[in-house]
Amino acid sequence: MPRRHGAASFLRKGIMDALELEVAKGIVEALNLQQVAPEGIDPTAPLFGEGLGLDSIDALELIVMLHRNYGIKIADAEIGKAAFASVGALAAFVRERRVT
Amino acid sequence: MTERRVVITGMGIVSALGWTLEETWFALRDERSGLRQLSLFRLDDRPALLVGEVKEDPAARSGLRLGSRTEHLAVCAARQAFEHAGLSSLPLEARRSIGVALGVCTGGMLDSEEYVAQTLCEIDPGLELLRRHECSCATNAIAEALSLGGPCSTVSVACTSGAAAISVARDMIASGEADMMLAGGADSLTRLTVCGFLSLLVVAPDGCKPFDARRAGMCLGEGAGILALESEAHAQARGARALARLCGAANTCDAHHCTAPAPGGAGIVRAMQTALAEAGLSPEDVDYVNAHGTGTIDNDIAEGKALTEVFSPRFPWISSTKRFFGHTLAAAGAIEAIVAILALRRQYVPANLGLEVADPSLPFTPCLHTTPAALRVVMSNSLGFGGSNASLVFSRVAGEEKAS
Amino acid sequence: MSDDIVITAWGFADARGFCGTRGARGVFGQDAAQWPEAFPEAFPRFGRLDPPCKLAMVAAELLGLKPPRDGVHADIGVSLGTRYGCLDADASFFATLWRPEGASPALFTYTLPSSSIAEVAIRYKLGGPNACFLAGEESGLTALWEGVRLVESGEARACVCLACDGVTPGTAAKTPGFDAPDAWEASAFLVEVSEYARARDRAPLAAVSIQCASDTETAADGDALSVLRACVQGGRDAALACPAALRRDEVLVVTAQR
């Protein structure tokens, strides 16, 4: 997967930057969301509960995805909760913590 | 269908605490945990883990020539229960009507993992390792080892499997289909279950602390628990001593989530209420509850709320004994039924080992130390993945069950 | 009689299509992505289920059950019979055990033979007794038998009896000793007390009762669940022999309602 460092860009509601799109693709792939297009996800919309309606097992799969794609290790499910609030929040988390 | 009273005339248990009822009871009484560092297999760079591993190889004690670890554990416990019930000298014709109901989750998985690992290393493992994969192998192993010809049932409902099997056996006896059944559960430790629970981030490497304010998760275990269940009339006719009566058994589903319990524990509430109603008892009649109490944040919250809804304001003695055995999955419902019956027999409440400071959100405090107590009715609860719940109620055979 | 036991709905799904009380679809091949056609509303979670859960869900959907407005159907249970139900999940999960990023939690939840029960129970809010029975080739028949007995005993007023089996060709190739069928098949039957069914406007397709084998004239024949399907679909009577492991000289007498 090509590595793109977070490009400086204005984040407008509904428009994704490159990292957000990459993260969205990672989510769709890791969770096998068959009827969801990554570019169609609103980066500010909630991922859990409403929005995509993901649950706690999906959160754990995303933790595994973060390790696989970015080398980020999370051992506590609670940390994941804040980071996974939305695609935008997750991209910011990745930008800050990525190892690879 | 005539309802017939069902009693327990024998018990057998193999676990991290030991190979007999006596060893188990002494460890419970003396508050000695059976948890040790995992040694059955290596997990490379995973953290060191405390688990309830059976010390010594069950294959050396089962009398089976071949079998998976789960089968050996199951047969060891079944032989014990059979002998405890005074059935060892029973002639073959009489064994034709004794059946087996067993709860199993992992089955021959430990061997199957070996098969896969060898295949990955390009060693041809041969198919023998796979032949024991199916869960029903353990049930059949018990039937064969003891020459039993009655109905055989293998049940798998995650962590409530052992309790579910006891319930299935109870139904068969109550309906007149069988006079006697060996029932319980068995599971071995496996890489699959250890790594699987680790991936859910719910494992405490230092072992579980059920209902503790600082609990950090569950710990795994292995073992087998078997009850010899019999109709009361049949037991009396052959002069067998009844250890306790199974007066209520219920099973429900949360229908909420695949791994997390329904937040208020609605499913286990219904199971407890149904089991008590069947027994003709009220919550005030229960003296001790052996809780599922895995020590995960979610389970203990849900179970705490459920126990509150059913028993508040007058709580019975409550303890989770998971820190003694680890969470033995399919065996748990049966092992903990045996713990509850031992409590009834010895008139002692086992400690909620691992508890230092109770979760302040709980309106009850689990029993901190082994405590002598007058116990007439005890309950054992199990909650499992998929939202399955089970509640078993046992009473003393002699004496009054209802508080006067 | 008010406590007669009846079958009021059925569903069947395999790679060739699905059919049941609520309708049928023709041939669509092995493409599991098309299976969501069975569901009238969007069912986003469907893609996350493993193959046996997907197929069991399709068969169960054809029963036409709806969740209650609040709470659960406490009086509807679920029985499942499967022999190879989680073999694929076990194999897929194994493949993730030794990854640097660790094992897959989503795959782990499917390594239980009973996982289809949870998915079906969650979708239709079925809160009654539930269990998966493992009895070799007779797993599906055992689940049906136990479901009828559950309703007969009064512990539940209705039971969804599921059977589901198969493995993917890849897993079948790796585990030759199992003789696992390399194609998926699932069936579902809704068994209930006739009074309970009538109160919910569900008409009986067949009456079922467990009787002594010596009292009946019809003989059991063929694959039990296919025979039962023929009964409810085609209005035929039959008798299904008790699963061997239960050691009962009994048959399940099926009387089609015409």
Side-chain angles (χ1 to χ4, degrees), chain B residues 1 44-46 104-105 109 112-113 115-117 120 127 130-131 133-136 143 148-158 164 167-168 170-172 175-178 191-193 195-197 199-200 249 251-259 270 278 385-389, chain C residues 45 72-75 83-84 86-87 89-90 93-94 96-100 102-106 108-115 117-119 121-136 142 146 149-150 152-153 155 174-178 245-248 250:
Chain B
M1 213 182 301
D44 295 333
D45 55 339
R46 302 292 192 278
V104 184
C105 288
M109 184 62 67
S112 311
E113 288 172 354
Y115 177 91
V116 170
L120 288 176
L127 292 177
L130 282 187
R131 277 195 233 286
H133 183 84
E134 288 183 62
C135 294
S136 49
L148 305 179
C152 279
S153 182
T154 309
V155 174
S156 193
V157 215
S167 196
V168 164
R170 189 281 305 260
D171 290 344
M172 288 184 176
S175 68
E177 267 181 77
R191 297 168 191 82
L192 183 144
T193 44
C195 292
F197 282 104
S199 78
L200 297 181
N251 168 238
T252 64
C253 189
D254 285 351
H256 171 72
H257 187 268
C258 282
T259 55
R270 278 189 296 116
E278 189 182 295
F385 270 14
S388 186
N389 308 283
Chain C
R45 183 165 172 72
V72 302
H73 292 297
D75 46 13
R83 184 177 192 186
Y84 301 110
C86 62
L87 195 58
D90 293 344
F93 182 73
F94 277 147
T96 70
L97 268 189
W98 291 283
R99 299 184 308 187
S104 162
F108 176 58
T109 63
Y110 291 112
T111 58
L112 282 167
S114 50
S115 48
I117 295 180
E119 296 291 353
I122 290 167
R123 181 159 171 82
Y124 307 105
K125 293 292 178 203
L126 308 178
N130 56 101
C132 174
F133 296 94
L134 303 158
T142 302
E146 295 291 350
R149 296 207 302 187
L150 183 72
E152 260 186 1
S153 73
E155 280 179 62
K174 276 183 254 167
T175 56
F178 280 158
L246 293 181
R247 312 272 200 278
R248 300 287 296 170
E250 289 175 337

Side-chain angles (χ1 to χ4, degrees), chain C residues 135-222:
Chain C
E137 283 172 6
E138 292 190 308
S139 298
L141 177 61
T142 302
L144 176 74
W145 206 269
E146 295 291 350
V148 172
R149 296 207 302 187
L150 183 72
V151 175
E152 260 186 1
S153 73
E155 280 179 62
R157 303 284 278 161
C159 186
V160 172
C161 304
L162 298 167
C164 186
D165 252 321
V167 292
T168 56
T171 300
K174 276 183 254 167
T175 56
F178 280 158
D179 279 331
D182 65 356
W184 295 101
E185 188 175 290
S187 65
F189 295 95
L190 181 58
V191 172
E192 42 188 343
V193 176
S194 66
E195 189 190 336
Y196 186 82
R198 204 169 25 247
R200 285 151 186 82
D201 288 326
R202 292 196 284 255
L205 300 172
V208 290
S209 64
I210 295 176
Q211 296 175 21
C212 286
S214 49
D215 290 349
T216 59
E217 288 171 16
T218 47
D221 62 304

Side-chain angles (χ1 to χ4, degrees), chain A residues 6-92:
Chain A
S9 64
F10 290 111
L11 179 65
R12 282 176 291 163
K13 179 175 158 66
I15 311 279
M16 290 190 188
D17 67 27
L19 182 59
E20 284 169 343
L21 181 60
E22 184 182 290
V23 163
K25 282 180 180 167
I27 292 171
V28 168
E29 199 177 278
L31 304 183
N32 196 21
L33 300 177
Q34 291 188 337
Q35 291 153 332
V36 178
E39 56 276 6
I41 304 175
D42 179 348
T44 64
L47 286 174
F48 291 85
E50 328 125 45
L52 278 183
L54 306 183
D55 71 5
S56 53
I57 299 290
D58 297 320
L60 293 167
E61 279 294 338
L62 293 185
I63 287 176
V64 169
M65 184 272 281
L66 290 177
H67 186 156
R68 178 172 56 243
N69 293 2
Y70 305 108
I72 301 172
K73 291 187 194 181
I74 301 177
D76 182 351
E78 288 300 308
I79 295 176
K81 271 186 189 159
F84 299 153
S86 64
V87 169
L90 188 51

